[in-house]
Amino acid sequence: MGLFSKMQGPEYGITLINNRRSVRKFLNKEISLEIIKEMLEAGRMAPSAKNRQPWKYIVFGNKQKRELLDGMELGLKREEEAKQLLPKSVSGILDAQNTLAIMREAPIIILVLNTNGKSPFLTVDNDERITEICDTLSIGASIENILLRAEELGLGTLWIANTCFAYSELVEYLQTDKQLVGAIAVGYANENPGPRPRKALEEIVEMRV
């Protein structure tokens, strides 16, 4: 059986997909390790290029989460005031600061690594770039599985890429040379966001059949 139980009926999967939201307000309520493992088990079952399974998930809560996010805050300040890793994206710092506040409120933060990848600030050759693209696609599939399983388990999530602004500080804290792809904030939702606008199918699909 797949991610969606056949016992739920043929429309269950699409209903779960349609109901998933990005949550930015969380209740002060703990999540059991068993539930977190269920989410990550769904991520483990995702397809991956050449079955490389390039994902690694590091789960942070409590004191460890606070230390991690203190490091992220230092990175955002450095990016804003001093040496910038992303000088053309400085307009995104305010959004990243808002994301940091959300991450502090969420009880669990999951950092996502590409175990085959290098720092995005290093030069790679063409073959390495293609491998990186394929592995990033694979990791995206794994994260989506996690988000959908979290929805099924009654949790709210936020898929985060703003870790890029504090890349150096975060990988130093992790003591890793693997590529940091992003993060997932997880908790019980303290809001019920409505659906965001979506492009019409006609705008995104070209039929050549």
Side-chain angles (χ1 to χ4, degrees):
M1 295 176 68
L3 176 60
F4 309 118
S5 171
K6 293 178 182 178
M7 299 298 292
Q8 300 287 350
E11 298 302 318
Y12 182 67
I14 191 63
T15 299
L16 199 62
I17 290 168
N18 288 338
N19 287 344
R20 189 212 59 81
R21 299 285 184 269
S22 294
V23 171
R24 293 174 172 83
K25 294 181 181 179
F26 296 94
L27 295 172
N28 183 19
K29 181 179 178 182
E30 291 187 3
I31 307 171
S32 72
L33 290 178
E34 289 73 19
I35 288 179
I36 294 169
K37 288 177 181 178
E38 285 193 48
M39 293 167 47
L40 297 176
E41 177 66 20
R44 189 176 72 90
M45 298 307 295
S48 64
K50 309 299 181 185
N51 198 32
R52 283 193 292 266
Q53 304 175 56
W55 42 72
K56 181 175 181 178
Y57 298 102
I58 307 178
V59 180
F60 290 88
N62 301 308
K63 179 183 176 182
Q64 288 75 18
K65 189 199 78 168
R66 291 192 294 272
E67 290 177 352
L68 173 77
L69 297 182
D70 286 347
M72 182 170 171
E73 184 173 3
L74 289 175
L76 295 182
K77 288 180 178 177
R78 186 259 313 141
E79 191 74 9
E80 186 176 33
E81 300 171 359
K83 184 178 179 181
Q84 295 176 334
L85 296 175
L86 300 167
K88 294 181 180 179
S89 301
V90 67
S91 61
I93 293 293
L94 180 59
D95 182 64
Q97 291 168 341
N98 291 335
T99 299
L100 177 61
I102 296 165
M103 295 169 78
R104 289 196 184 279
E105 187 175 274
I108 293 293
I109 298 297
I110 304 172
L111 289 193
V112 187
L113 301 181
N114 176 355
T115 58
N116 297 325
K118 299 177 180 178
S119 167
F121 302 102
L122 295 177
T123 301
V124 298
D125 62 33
N126 291 344
D127 295 280
E128 291 173 320
R129 181 68 71 202
I130 294 300
T131 297
E132 181 181 62
I133 290 171
C134 293
D135 284 343
T136 302
L137 290 170
S138 303
I139 291 168
S142 182
I143 292 174
E144 180 70 359
N145 274 13
I146 290 171
L147 302 186
L148 292 174
R149 182 65 173 136
E151 174 71 22
E152 189 174 38
L153 293 167
L155 294 167
T157 56
L158 182 64
W159 189 343
I160 294 164
N162 275 332
T163 50
C164 60
F165 290 105
Y167 190 93
S168 298
E169 288 77 11
L170 291 173
V171 296
E172 181 178 355
Y173 177 79
L174 296 174
Q175 296 185 330
T176 183
D177 60 354
K178 305 305 181 184
Q179 186 181 86
L180 174 61
V181 176
I184 310 167
V186 185
Y188 291 97
N190 195 22
E191 63 173 349
N192 186 23
R196 299 291 297 275
R198 289 291 187 269
K199 293 180 179 180
L201 199 62
E202 293 77 13
E203 292 183 70
I204 63 170
V205 176
E206 180 179 339
M207 294 289 189
R208 298 191 180 187
V209 295

